[in-house]
Structures are given as structure tokens and as C-alpha cells.
Amino acid sequence: MSSDQRVPIEGPTRVSPAAILRLDDFTLRFRGQTVATVNGISLSVSAGEILCVVGESGCGKSVTAMSIMGLLPKGASDVLSGDLSFMGKSYDLRRENLPSHLRGNQIAMIFQEPMTSLNPAFSVGDQIAESVLQHQGGTRAEALRRARDLLVKVGISAPDQRLKEFPYQLSGGMRQRVMIAIALANDPKLLIADEPTTALDVTIQAQILNLIDDLRRDTGMGTMMITHDLGVVAEIADSVAVMYGGEVVEYGPVREIFANPQHPYTIGLMSAMPRLDRPGGRLAIVPGSVPAIENMPSGCRFRTRCAFANETCTERPLPMAAGSGHRVACHFAPLEEHVMVQA
Ligand SMILES: Nc1ncnc2c1ncn2[C@@H]1O[C@H](COP(=O)(O)OP(=O)(O)OP(=O)(O)O)[C@@H](O)[C@H]1O
Ligand code: SF4
Ligand SMILES: [Mg+2]
């Protein structure tokens, strides 16, 4: 598709009606700063879909996830724009968060280091049962039975023994399975996983990814997975949101993003791994570094690092449709044409 045939996407993401989660035009600025850390992000996750969010450290992946969960510390930031729609109900994030009864219930989150989320003073069984009791009520014996079932579901052997153990007695991979069991306690519609396998060795990492993949197939749960690792993306993602400097610069089905990356930043990230059939490796290093938020350039935030930048790039590029479900925010995408015109 040539650049003059592309059409700007009006407002938010185009999403299927089956979307469980939809975030539209989300902008957040931390207090004391003049530049928004997250700037006009739109994304969506449908039933059974795994959306991977990738981008360099500091690009706003966790802040976005925590904002969806309503977990950012109160008073530290202001939401300047953003609608969150979950299971068909919309919330204006400038004024409200997702209702707290949905958190840990319909929508659950797991983190990179499970030890920080598990309470060292309580047994595994007590912690899973607590999550069940909190949202479903019932007796403690029923909750413990459910906890046992969940341990089996997440592939933990000797579940009766594990129920009685404390987090320090478990390996890192086992702790992450327990966290997933807690997340699944109330059959969530959406799982947000913030680098859930980064702290694990490669074999355990693969097992946890397989588990998440199986769960979405079995339960239809949607997943938003934050990762630095393109191997993870290639293995598990249905769609990808590439973030840079607090913005989604490219978004689309995983095959399309790997086969036909159009944003210079995505192309840079992919350069170490341009093909879906050659997975492996973390994000390639794009020359230069992300400016501090206060020094973020106006217009295209990538322009201080982009080999193709020119004066046009002082204007902010809007997300444009670049194919089916594929959108890209660069004045000159697809780049081949720009390079040919310049040559
Ligand atoms: N409470 C806060 N006050 C001010 N700035 C913050 C706060 N929390 C996060 N930030 C800033 O927001 C930016 C985005 O942080 P975030 O944690 O979302 O990055 P990330 O993409 O998850 O990075 P990583 O890959 O390292 O986890 C960073 O520059 C960070 O310093
Ligand atoms: S808009 Fe300009 S600076 Fe930004 S990615 Fe495209 S070519 Fe580079
Ligand atoms: Mg993070």
C-alpha cells in the first residue's frame, strides 16, 4: 500500500466486537513533569488473544499495565485522556478506575518477580484460598479444595504437599506457577503479565509460556503480555504493540509485524531477528538512547534516533492503517518508498 493511500485512524484502535479490554487514547503525566510519560496509547485484547507489548526499558509498558489495573500510587500522576472499556463497560480514566471488585477477579496481573507479590509468612494454600474466599466466599475447606485444583491446573506436582509449603521453599518457576494459580483463582477474563518469565531460566520460561498459551486456549482468557524478548513474542503472540517513548508506534498481527515491519524503530528492533521462523534473542539495540522524558522531542518522539528524520518529523505522526489490523505512526512508512524517493 503506498503512503498516500493510507488513511489516518480516527481516534482509537479499530477492534473487533469481541474485545475484552480496550484502551483508547490513554495519556498520563507524572506530577512535576511537563511531558506526558504515556502519550495517546490505544490497544485492545480479545477473548483468547495474546497481545505482546514490547519496547525498550522506560517506554511506559508497566505504567500502562498498572494504570489499567488502577494500581499506580494515588496523587503521583494525572490522566489527561483515556477511556478504558472492559467487558463492554466503559470507564473514563480521567475520573475513575476499573472498579476494585474486578481486580484480582475478572482481571488479574502477574509480575516479573513473584516473591515480591507472595507473602512470605503464609503458606501457598492459604494465599490461593484467600483469593478465592475474597471474591467467591464459601468455606475455607472449599477454598482449599479449589486451591489444590488450581495447583494441578498450573502443573504443580504433589499439590497436597505444596499447599502447606511457604514461598521460600519453592523454586522461581514454581512461585510463578503459584502466582498464576492465584491469578486464575476466579476465572479471569483478562490476564496482564508484566515480564512474567524474565527472571526464569530458559527451560522454565518455556514451560510458563506453554502454560499461559494452554490456559488461553482452554479458558478463552485474553492476555496482555509485556516482554523485552522477541523470542517470547514469536512464540506466543497473536498481536504486537511496539512502544517507544510512551507511544504505540506500530501495532498489528504478529506475522504482519515480523514479516512487514514499517516503523523505523520496529525495523531496528527486528534487525537481529527479522523472521518469525528464526526466533531467539532479545530486542536488538537501536543506536542511541531514549531521551529523558523532559527532553523528549516534540513531533515524532523517535526523531532524535531515527536515520530517516527530516523537518516533517517535527509534526507528530498519527497512526495510519498499514494493512489489515496493522497500524503505524511514521510520516514515511512504509520506509522502502521513502528511501527510494530520497535515493
Ligand atoms: N511514580 C513515578 N513517578 C515518576 N515517574 C515514574 C513513576 N513510575 C514510573 N515512572 C517513569 O515512567 C517511565 C515509564 O516507566 P515504566 O516502568 O512503565 O517503563 P517500562 O517500559 O515498564 O520499562 P522496563 O522495561 O524497564 O520495565 C519511566 O521513565 C519511569 O521512570
Ligand atoms: S516520523 Fe520521521 S522521525 Fe519519526 S519514525 Fe518516521 S521518519 Fe523517523
Ligand atoms: Mg516494566
Side-chain angles (χ1 to χ4, degrees):
M1 188 187 291
S2 75
S3 51
D4 51 5
Q5 285 175 299
R6 290 181 303 133
V7 283
I9 293 178
E10 288 294 327
T13 347
R14 279 198 247 145
V15 286
S16 76
I20 292 172
L21 175 90
R22 172 179 165 143
L23 183 64
D24 288 334
D25 193 26
F26 174 59
T27 300
L28 175 139
R29 192 175 58 204
F30 282 105
R31 298 257 167 101
Q33 292 180 341
T34 54
V35 179
T37 289
V38 177
N39 197 26
I41 280 191
S42 298
L43 50 82
S44 71
V45 184
S46 298
E49 177 187 3
I50 297 183
L51 167 73
C52 278
V53 180
V54 296
E56 273 163 298
S57 192
C59 72
K61 305 182 293 294
S62 295
V63 165
T64 302
M66 300 286 275
S67 302
I68 292 171
M69 291 296 282
L71 291 178
L72 281 186
K74 276 201 169 33
S77 56
D78 295 303
V79 173
L80 307 183
S81 66
D83 285 311
L84 178 68
S85 154
F86 182 69
M87 302 295 293
K89 237 183 145 218
S90 283
Y91 306 90
D92 181 343
L93 292 177
R94 286 172 304 175
R95 287 194 290 273
E96 59 194 333
N97 277 326
L98 203 66
S100 55
H101 71 268
L102 296 178
R103 284 183 245 146
N105 183 11
Q106 299 266 289
I107 171 166
M109 185 162 177
I110 56 174
F111 300 88
Q112 179 173 334
E113 186 30 82
M115 203 58 193
T116 56
S117 313
L118 289 168
N119 189 329
F122 289 95
S123 70
V124 164
D126 279 344
Q127 295 190 57
I128 304 175
E130 173 58 27
S131 180
V132 175
L133 286 170
Q134 200 181 340
H135 294 285
Q136 298 177 20
T139 66
R140 193 178 133 73
E142 284 164 351
L144 279 170
R145 268 200 297 280
R146 170 92 176 124
R148 186 188 184 284
D149 292 346
L150 285 162
L151 286 185
V152 172
K153 193 169 184 175
V154 299
I156 288 187
S157 53
D160 294 306
Q161 180 195 331
R162 297 297 181 197
L163 279 178
K164 295 182 204 131
E165 289 183 345
F166 289 83
Y168 75 89
Q169 294 173 285
L170 308 179
S171 67
M174 201 113 57
R175 280 186 215 130
Q176 195 58 286
R177 284 177 195 269
V178 169
M179 282 313 300
I180 295 173
I182 293 173
L184 295 178
N186 302 296
D187 297 323
K189 298 283 184 287
L190 181 81
L191 176 70
I192 299 182
D194 191 349
E195 309 217 31
T197 60
T198 307
L200 304 174
D201 73 43
V202 176
T203 316
I204 309 296
Q205 198 179 88
Q207 291 172 3
I208 298 287
L209 289 179
N210 284 339
L211 172 62
I212 292 174
D213 202 22
D214 289 347
L215 289 169
R216 60 89 169 250
R217 266 182 240 287
D218 294 350
T219 66
M221 176 182 81
T223 304
M224 175 177 159
M225 163 99 73
I226 294 169
T227 179
H228 278 106
D229 190 331
L230 286 182
V232 170
V233 178
E235 182 154 338
I236 204 168
D238 298 302
S239 39
V240 186
V242 180
M243 284 187 67
Y244 181 83
E247 298 177 350
V248 172
V249 296
E250 189 155 7
Y251 190 103
V254 65
R255 289 197 165 273
E256 176 74 9
I257 298 286
F258 275 97
N260 185 24
Q262 297 201 5
H263 193 282
Y265 181 61
T266 317
I267 293 168
L269 294 182
M270 302 276 167
S271 60
M273 192 198 147
R275 284 166 39 190
L276 199 55
D277 58 358
R278 263 204 324 235
R282 293 169 71 81
L283 299 181
I285 308 292
V286 175
S289 55
V290 188
I293 192 69
E294 291 297 324
N295 299 327
M296 203 53 91
S298 58
C300 178
R301 289 189 169 194
F302 188 54
R303 73 185 161 94
T304 49
R305 296 170 77 188
C306 181
F308 306 98
N310 67 21
E311 65 285 353
T312 309
C313 308
T314 54
E315 293 288 323
R316 184 177 179 191
L318 293 173
M320 309 281 269
S324 179
H326 185 178
R327 66 180 212 256
V328 57
C330 167
H331 292 300
F332 301 114
L335 269 180
E336 303 86 26
E337 289 173 16
H338 180 57
V339 173
M340 273 163 27
V341 169
Q342 283 201 326

